[in-house]
Amino acid sequence: VEYLLLAGDKARRAHLNDSAVGSFERALDRIEVMDEDAGDTWRREKEAAVREGFGDVRRLTGKQEEALSAYRASSELLTSSAIVDRARLHRKIGKSLQVLRRADEAFDAYDEAERALGPLEEGSGAAVVTEMVEVALERALLAYFMAPLEALDGLVEEACRLASTWGSPAQHANALHVRALTALRRDHYTADADTVHLARRAAAESIAISPAEVGMAGFIHGFALLWATRLDEAEVELETTLGRAQRVGDATLECRCLTYLTLVHRKRGDVEAVEERAAHTLSAARDAALPEYVAQGEANLAWAARRRGDAAEFEARAVRAWRLWQDLLPVPGPYVDLAWIAEWPRFALDLASGRVSDAEEHLRALVGPDRQPLPPALSSRITTFLAIDAHDAREEGLEEIAAAAEAHGYL
């Protein structure tokens, strides 16, 4: 069992994920048939470690439900004195629940982790301090994805305060990542020079600490460059991060990189590249059960089908994308701001089908205060159109807006 646990951990650290899973599964088989003389405490300790390692691999490779089961089983095996181990497992449960978009349960898991650790004091051990900071950073990241801005700001400030006071260099870098994401969300995904600089600094600090583990930091830098409309630089960062995600088997990061690389090509008007990347996104997102990236894949393929003149495919994908996006809109977070990815194709479909009132409702949403700002000329054209109560040529005005949106790459 000891050998198999060590072999599994070594394979996991080397990102040999199938090999790691095989070692952990064989270790569990051995534990199951072990003689009771081996000692219950030793058996429970080893089984807990094996199940946690198994969960780590499953979480990385996009099998979140399997990861949750493994982490929960591991937690049940711990002794009452293993407070840091228990807190770490609750935190990992929270991370998997975040990916599954089960926000309330994820926040509860982070609360459980904090309760296991107790209050942070001057005399707290190093392991307790490190885990407490990690929990705060993960809670802030969860809030970025699924909490109102006012709640996000408070959690980010607390996490960054803890990281500044108690955190390791890696945690300092992670605090910068969270700050960069928060700035992007607060500004509705428009990135000024300060935000790009913050994202670049976070990536540089992460690389300095561990070049092989840059992962999310590289993505955030590329993501910020995308919203600064620095498309060539964004492509380089996202391609580099995609390569690493694929090498280590990080399913969630792979989907994120593919999705926003697709948007780089959509903004350039490159239909062939959009189709290639979006098809890959769909496959990866379905395998990892990530509906937000399935929705974006469908929306981008709808955009490409419209550009190619394939009306049937355009309609099918635009309908599917917007239906999937409806499940994302009730949750505060980036998918409200970025709803244009699916809403512009749906607007065009309604317009082409003669559903003028529905098309107008989409325009009202697209210029709403909770959405990513449109280019000033396009936004002004839409607001002027919507301000007029009666139109002699409503469809003609909507067609002009559609043409302007196409010129800006939205359609």
Side-chain angles (χ1 to χ4, degrees):
V1 172
E2 289 272 16
Y3 169 79
L4 289 168
L5 175 56
L6 288 171
D9 280 335
K10 183 177 180 179
R12 177 179 59 80
R13 287 192 296 272
H15 305 296
L16 302 172
N17 298 317
D18 291 342
S19 177
V21 167
S23 292
F24 290 136
E25 287 179 334
R26 289 195 298 276
L28 289 173
D29 290 342
R30 294 283 181 86
I31 289 170
E32 200 171 298
V33 298
M34 280 181 65
D35 193 299
E36 291 186 8
D37 291 342
D40 186 58
T41 300
W42 184 91
R43 181 200 302 262
R44 291 170 68 90
E45 178 185 309
K46 296 307 174 187
E47 184 177 349
V50 170
R51 291 192 183 279
E52 182 177 0
F54 179 86
D56 288 345
V57 178
R58 286 313 198 203
R59 177 165 57 83
L60 177 72
T61 55
K63 304 297 186 286
Q64 304 303 331
E65 293 290 356
E66 290 184 45
L68 285 173
S69 295
Y71 291 146
R72 286 168 174 154
S74 179
S75 180
E76 290 173 4
L77 293 162
L78 297 177
T79 63
S80 59
S81 61
I83 60 171
V84 175
D85 293 340
R86 190 176 306 281
R88 184 180 63 252
L89 285 163
H90 282 303
R91 173 172 57 81
K92 290 179 177 181
I93 287 168
K95 286 171 69 71
S96 282
L97 289 167
Q98 174 199 306
V99 175
L100 292 169
R101 299 187 61 76
R102 289 155 58 179
D104 290 344
E105 293 175 72
F107 278 119
D108 287 345
Y110 293 135
D111 289 344
E112 285 291 333
E114 278 197 350
R115 279 194 286 272
L117 294 169
L120 195 58
E121 300 169 341
E122 285 293 338
S124 297
V128 170
V129 170
T130 297
E131 187 58 35
M132 183 67 82
V133 176
E134 206 65 28
V135 170
L137 289 167
E138 293 293 349
R139 183 190 279 113
L141 187 60
L142 170 62
Y144 161 79
F145 282 108
M146 285 179 279
L149 264 176
E150 54 270 22
L152 170 62
D153 285 336
L155 291 172
V156 169
E157 287 307 312
E158 175 63 8
C160 291
R161 182 189 68 79
L162 288 172
S164 175
T165 305
W166 305 93
S168 66
Q171 289 172 327
H172 293 163
N174 287 340
L176 293 176
H177 305 161
V178 173
R179 282 198 182 279
L181 285 172
T182 302
L184 285 167
R185 189 174 153 197
R186 188 185 299 113
D187 295 336
H188 300 288
Y189 298 91
T190 57
D192 61 17
D194 289 341
T195 300
V196 172
H197 174 74
L198 183 60
R200 181 182 293 112
R201 182 181 158 202
E205 289 198 13
S206 294
I207 291 169
I209 295 162
S210 178
E213 299 294 330
V214 64
M216 190 65 172
F219 167 77
I220 294 168
H221 186 203
F223 192 58
L225 288 165
L226 168 63
W227 303 126
T229 323
R230 293 162 60 171
L231 301 184
D232 291 348
E233 294 170 83
E235 183 178 14
V236 169
E237 285 295 326
L238 293 171
E239 284 282 10
T240 300
T241 307
L242 173 63
R244 180 194 176 277
Q246 291 172 331
R247 285 194 299 275
V248 305
D250 189 332
T252 303
L253 186 59
E254 179 183 9
C255 288
R256 287 175 177 151
C257 292
L258 285 168
T259 293
Y260 294 105
L261 278 167
T262 306
L263 277 190
V264 168
H265 297 304
R266 180 168 163 180
K267 284 176 172 287
R268 290 173 174 158
D270 188 337
V271 175
E272 185 177 343
V274 166
E275 289 189 310
E276 180 185 348
R277 291 298 193 182
H280 194 171
T281 301
L282 268 184
S283 175
R286 284 171 176 152
D287 285 347
L290 296 170
E292 62 270 41
Y293 299 118
V294 173
Q296 294 191 66
E298 291 283 9
N300 288 322
L301 286 170
W303 175 92
R306 182 179 181 276
R307 286 282 179 113
R308 281 192 290 100
D310 188 332
E313 183 181 351
F314 167 60
E315 178 175 0
R317 292 197 183 279
V319 168
R320 279 200 296 271
W322 190 239
R323 184 176 64 245
L324 287 166
W325 215 284
Q326 301 311 294
D327 294 332
L328 305 176
L329 287 175
V331 180
Y335 302 110
V336 176
D337 301 75
L338 300 178
W340 65 264
I341 294 169
E343 193 151 18
W344 273 115
R346 184 67 218 213
F347 157 81
L349 176 62
D350 286 339
L351 177 58
S353 303
R355 295 186 289 270
V356 173
S357 295
D358 290 342
E360 289 180 353
E361 285 305 309
H362 286 301
L363 289 182
R364 288 190 178 87
L366 285 162
V367 294
D370 56 351
R371 299 297 184 87
Q372 186 185 55
L374 298 172
L378 179 57
S379 180
S380 177
R381 184 187 287 267
I382 293 171
T383 53
T384 299
F385 174 87
L386 294 174
I388 301 173
D389 291 333
H391 287 282
D392 293 330
R394 292 170 73 203
E395 288 194 43
E396 182 180 340
L398 290 170
E399 291 287 359
E400 291 175 356
I401 289 170
E406 185 167 340
H408 284 284
Y410 291 104
L411 284 173

